[in-house]
Amino acid sequence: MVFIGMLQQMPDGLADRCPARLTKNFRDKSDLFQMNCEPIHLRRFSAAFRAFERNKRHHHDLAAKKSGCRTRHFHLVRAPREAEIWLMTDGVAADFLPMLAAAESPVGSLVVSVHDVAPITRPSVEKILTDLKEAGVRVTSLLVVPDYHHRGKSVDDATFISWLRELEADGHEIVIHGYFHERPRRQSEGMREKFLTRAYTQNEAEFFDLKYDEAFTRITRARDEFRGVRLSAIGFVAPAWLLSAEGERAARDAEMQYTTRIATVIDLLTGEREPSRALVYSTRSAWRRAVSLSWNAALARRVAIGQLVRLSIHPSDIASGGVWKQIIRFARRFSRTRNPTTYRDWISKERVTRNLS
């Protein structure tokens, strides 16, 4: 183990006052760094031993009282007993602390996306962003609807656009989310179409079966409207992630750099597809909320082993107490072990990583 190897190579002069103390406590008792006769991995080190602590004057410590020492030291504490306190000089601690920090560094990424952002949903979205920030998530991908349910263009609301610009300046990302976020019912729909467009989503699967020309027109219109008010959107996400093959081709031709589906993130420039199932909730009824809570509790354990975790939030989620508590719990948990980021930044990082490999 790297810790033991480093300790064994340390000169005795680094030990505090009594060289034998470091030798006795660390060199000869390397089993102290083992749990159940197995080496402790770096990420488990700080869990097995309390972190190095530094006190300006540690004359209250048992070991310090015994030695009469009044200098400043780092010390490693395993248990509150005198026999298990080992003093370390600043030089020794300086070698250890960076390794402990590296061992606890976040692994993987977390993208939190807020869907259905529009002037009418702004109050809920503001509360969502406040709660997420308190939970450790400071940046999100904001999926903005250009003309939510035909209630008026988002770009015509100057206050709303100014708010979006401020969020973008703070690190949030603006994403095009459909155009109307609405799909009219059709007479010739089969059972599959009815289920996906009426039951799975409430008449909002706008790009589910949209033909290429109309899909291209709506995406480019949204792109140009956002550019006209100085909003930078390079991603397109269809409502409910229901995007036809022609719609995906239209998004690529409309200069969108990525899109997402419920289980995949797609780089439209390179064609790379990253499997990653989104955590998402349905809150339209009590039974949907109950199923969502159980499903996502199990899904969260499965997606935690992947490189990318996606947490997708809708404005209605915050009105459901149980759902919102679970969302914030997930946000806290994943933001402690992962880097919160946006789709834009995650895609850019992945491209660099692939080019270097």
Side-chain angles (χ1 to χ4, degrees):
M1 182 179 174
V2 66
F3 281 133
I4 302 302
M6 189 175 75
L7 285 167
Q8 290 174 339
Q9 296 174 21
M10 285 181 183
D12 288 341
L14 287 177
D16 173 52
R17 299 189 63 178
C18 177
R21 178 175 295 167
L22 186 62
T23 302
K24 178 180 178 181
N25 287 333
F26 290 99
R27 293 186 183 176
D28 297 339
K29 293 188 177 182
S30 59
D31 61 303
L32 292 173
F33 288 87
Q34 298 182 2
M35 297 178 67
N36 299 325
C37 299
E38 295 181 1
I40 299 174
H41 295 290
L42 292 182
R43 289 185 58 78
R44 296 179 187 169
F45 185 81
S46 61
F49 295 87
R50 284 170 49 193
F52 289 109
E53 299 176 355
R54 182 171 186 168
N55 297 322
K56 291 184 178 180
R57 301 183 66 83
H58 62 202
H59 54 271
H60 57 280
D61 292 340
L62 293 174
K65 281 184 178 180
K66 186 174 181 179
S67 64
C69 180
R70 291 294 182 271
T71 58
R72 297 189 301 176
H73 293 277
F74 287 93
H75 57 277
L76 184 62
V77 181
R78 187 181 186 188
R81 299 203 303 271
E82 178 180 1
E84 295 187 354
I85 296 178
W86 303 288
L87 301 181
M88 304 181 74
T89 61
D90 289 3
V92 176
D95 287 329
F96 269 78
L97 289 175
M99 299 177 71
L100 283 175
E104 294 298 326
S105 296
V107 176
S109 300
L110 167 68
V111 173
V112 177
S113 57
V114 182
H115 295 227
D116 304 352
V117 180
I120 194 172
T121 63
R122 177 180 170 180
S124 295
V125 173
E126 287 182 320
K127 180 65 166 61
I128 287 170
L129 295 180
T130 298
D131 288 359
L132 287 174
K133 187 175 182 179
E134 292 175 355
V137 178
R138 296 180 175 274
V139 295
T140 65
S141 290
L142 300 170
L143 277 56
V144 182
V145 184
D147 188 355
Y148 188 72
H149 290 190
H150 296 84
R151 297 185 182 184
K153 291 184 178 182
S154 295
V155 295
D156 290 341
D157 188 325
T159 303
F160 177 72
I161 294 301
S162 177
W163 174 64
L164 289 181
R165 286 202 206 102
E166 291 175 1
L167 291 174
E168 194 173 44
D170 288 339
H172 296 272
E173 176 196 11
I174 306 302
V175 183
I176 298 172
H177 190 37
Y179 192 87
F180 298 113
H181 207 284
E182 193 173 49
R183 177 186 180 276
R185 295 185 178 185
R186 300 170 187 172
Q187 294 293 332
S188 59
E189 291 176 342
M191 290 301 297
R192 177 176 179 272
E193 287 78 10
K194 288 181 179 179
F195 172 77
L196 289 174
T197 62
R198 302 181 191 184
Y200 174 70
T201 179
Q202 198 170 21
N203 302 310
E204 294 184 326
E206 179 183 3
F207 282 76
F208 169 65
D209 52 3
L210 211 58
K211 298 302 182 183
Y212 173 86
D213 289 341
E214 183 60 27
F216 181 80
T217 297
R218 295 188 189 187
I219 296 172
T220 53
R221 186 192 308 166
R223 179 200 66 193
D224 294 343
E225 287 176 358
F226 283 15
R227 285 178 179 175
V229 293
R230 303 194 308 279
L231 292 175
S232 174
I234 66 168
F236 172 81
V237 177
W241 294 290
L242 294 175
L243 180 64
S244 65
E246 292 188 50
E248 183 176 319
R249 182 163 61 91
R252 183 182 296 105
D253 293 345
E255 302 174 358
M256 295 293 100
Q257 294 192 24
Y258 74 84
T259 188
T260 69
R261 298 181 186 273
I262 194 169
T264 318
V265 178
I266 306 166
D267 187 335
L268 294 174
L269 295 186
T270 66
E272 295 287 338
R273 294 172 180 257
E274 176 71 17
S276 177
R277 178 81 182 195
L279 296 161
V280 64
Y281 297 80
S282 179
T283 59
R284 278 186 281 153
S285 62
W287 74 265
R288 286 175 179 266
R289 291 191 292 272
V291 170
S292 290
L293 287 169
S294 299
W295 165 256
N296 284 299
L299 181 61
R301 291 191 289 270
R302 182 165 70 87
V303 300
I305 65 176
Q307 284 297 313
L308 174 64
V309 170
R310 300 163 60 201
L311 179 57
S312 302
I313 301 172
H314 289 80
S316 60
D317 293 343
I318 199 169
S320 175
V323 166
W324 190 241
K325 286 179 181 178
Q326 188 178 76
I327 288 174
I328 292 301
R329 188 160 60 247
F330 287 157
R332 286 200 181 97
R333 179 197 306 175
F334 288 124
S335 65
R336 283 197 298 263
T337 58
R338 295 172 174 272
N339 291 312
T341 186
T342 62
Y343 282 125
R344 176 201 294 265
D345 291 343
W346 184 84
I347 287 281
S348 298
K349 181 181 176 182
E350 284 298 296
R351 288 173 183 160
V352 172
T353 301
R354 285 195 296 267
N355 289 335
L356 293 177
S357 61

